[in-house]
Amino acid sequence: MTSTPRPDLSPPGRDIEPEQLRLLVRVARLYHEQGVRQPQIAADLHISQPRVSRLLKQATRLGIVHTVVTVPTGVHADIEEQLKSRYGLRDAVVAEVPVGDEDRLMTVLAGAAAAYLDATLHGGDDIGLSAWSASLLATVEAMRPKRPAVANNVCQVLGGIGDPTAQMRATRLLTRFAEVTGGQPLFMPTPGLVGSPHLREALTQDSSVAQIVSTWQSLTLLLVGIGALSPSPLLRSSGNAITEEDQQELREHNAVGDVCLRYFDADGHLVPSRFDQRVVGITPEAMMRVERRLGVAGGPDKHAAIRAALVGGWVNILITDLDTAGALLA
C-alpha cells in the first residue's frame, strides 16, 4: 500500500469536509504505513471499529490509498491468466527453467506440480493416476507427505503390466502417491495395450479389473502426462509402446499426441483407430466426466500435443514451462 499526498478526488470526494479528509488520511496512514491494527486505531481515535473499516474502504475508493501488487521474479501470474482465458482452463501454473539449464525441465515441472498439489489437495478426493508418465513419476517423488490424509482412493487409470523394470517404476508411482496422500492404492492388473479388441473386452470383464474400472466413475481428480506421437522413453521401455505400424496408422489420422494412450488430432478430437480399441484404460467419456483433469507437460517437442490437449479439453489444469506457455499463446 502507498499513500499519495494529493489524490485527485472526484465527486463525491470534493464534497467531503476537510476534517473528514484529515480523518481518512490519518486512519489510512496508521493502518497501511505504521501497521496499527484496526481495534487499536479505534481505541486511539475514540471511534468504533466498524467506522475504522468503513473509513479504510472509503480511502481506497477515493484514491487516497492505492493497492500495488509487486510480482516476484519467477512468478508469471499474467501469463497464467492468459492461458486460462485462452483455453478455458480451471487453472494454470507456469514454471521458469533457468537459461542454459534446459536439461532440468522435468525437475522444474515436477517441483511446480508437487507444490500445486500440496496447496490444493485438502481431503476427500478420489484420484486417478496415469501409470506411464515420466513427468508424473518425477512429480510424485518431489511431493511431501500430507497429514491428515487428503485422498480416499488412488486409482490406476491405465494398465500397468509390462517390462519388469518399467513396471516396477509404474508401481512405485502409484504406491508413492498413495503414501504421500494417505489414499488407498488401487492397481490395474492388466497391460496398458493388448493385441486385439477381443482380448481387451475379455480383460475388462474380469471381476478384479471391473472393480477398478467402476471406481473411475467417482474420480474427482485425474493426473496425467501429455504425450507426443512418438512414445516417451518410459512408455517405450514398458512393453506397452505402440509399434511402427500403429504409429503409421495414427499419422494417417493426423494424430499429434495422447493422454492415457487416447490419441487426438490438432483440434483435440479423438482419433478413431484400431489402436484405440486395444487400450486397457480409462475411456475418453469417463475422463471428461472428471471435474479436475491436471496435465504436467512441457518442452518444444510437446507444444503441438499440449495445445491439442487443451483445445480438446483433455486437461483443464496445466502445469508447464515458460517457453511452452509462450508458444501456446503465440
Side-chain angles (χ1 to χ4, degrees), residues 72-319:
T73 301
V75 176
H76 304 281
D78 54 339
I79 295 176
E80 293 166 355
E81 288 300 324
Q82 290 177 54
L83 284 172
K84 289 167 62 178
S85 177
R86 173 76 65 87
Y87 294 101
L89 302 177
R90 290 177 63 99
D91 212 346
V93 175
V94 174
E96 187 169 347
V97 179
V99 176
D101 210 3
E102 286 74 15
D103 58 341
R104 292 189 63 242
L105 172 65
M106 186 71 70
T107 303
V108 170
L109 290 179
Y116 181 84
L117 290 169
D118 184 63
T120 58
L121 289 177
H122 300 301
D125 275 310
D126 288 306
I127 303 172
L129 199 63
S130 174
W132 303 109
S133 169
S135 59
L136 288 187
L137 183 60
T139 296
V140 171
E141 293 293 346
M143 290 179 66
R144 298 175 299 177
K146 300 281 286 183
R147 298 291 182 271
V150 293
N152 296 328
N153 295 307
V154 177
C155 310
Q156 195 168 331
V157 296
L158 183 64
I161 295 177
D163 173 87
T165 302
Q167 182 182 332
M168 184 170 63
R169 294 176 69 184
T171 301
R172 170 62 180 165
L173 189 160
L174 194 79
T175 303
R176 166 68 178 169
F177 192 80
E179 288 174 353
V180 299
T181 60
Q184 175 69 31
L186 301 175
F187 295 91
M188 184 72 170
T190 71
L193 186 66
V194 294
S196 69
H198 176 74
L199 181 54
R200 173 195 170 278
E201 186 65 25
L203 283 172
T204 54
Q205 295 299 319
D206 180 84
S207 60
S208 61
V209 177
Q211 183 179 3
I212 301 300
V213 171
S214 68
T215 66
W216 298 342
Q217 308 306 314
S218 60
L219 294 178
T220 57
L221 174 63
L222 181 64
L223 304 180
V224 299
I226 300 172
L229 181 57
S230 298
S232 68
L234 177 58
L235 184 61
R236 190 180 295 114
S237 68
S238 72
N240 293 283
I242 61 178
T243 65
E244 182 55 43
E245 181 182 355
D246 291 326
Q247 288 191 59
Q248 183 58 37
E249 180 190 12
L250 292 167
R251 287 192 196 97
E252 291 171 357
H253 287 86
N254 300 313
V256 298
D258 82 285
V259 169
C260 295
L261 292 185
R262 303 298 181 179
Y263 281 84
F264 40 78
D265 61 21
D267 294 320
H269 298 141
L270 178 70
V271 168
S273 64
R274 293 187 300 274
F275 173 87
D276 189 64
Q277 299 169 26
R278 294 161 41 215
V279 175
V280 186
I282 190 168
T283 64
E285 294 77 17
M287 215 181 297
M288 296 299 180
R289 284 196 293 268
V290 182
E291 183 179 7
R292 291 170 292 154
R293 305 181 295 279
L294 187 154
V296 184
D301 59 330
K302 291 192 176 182
H303 287 177
I306 295 170
R307 181 189 178 280
L310 299 185
V311 170
W314 296 88
V315 300
N316 58 12
I317 302 171
L318 178 66
I319 314 290

Side-chain angles (χ1 to χ4, degrees), residues 1-7 25 28-29 32-33 63-68:
M1 293 286 185
T2 59
S3 61
T4 55
R6 297 179 182 275
V25 172
R29 296 194 69 175
H32 293 295
E33 293 184 350
I64 293 171
V65 173
H66 297 273
T67 303
V68 178

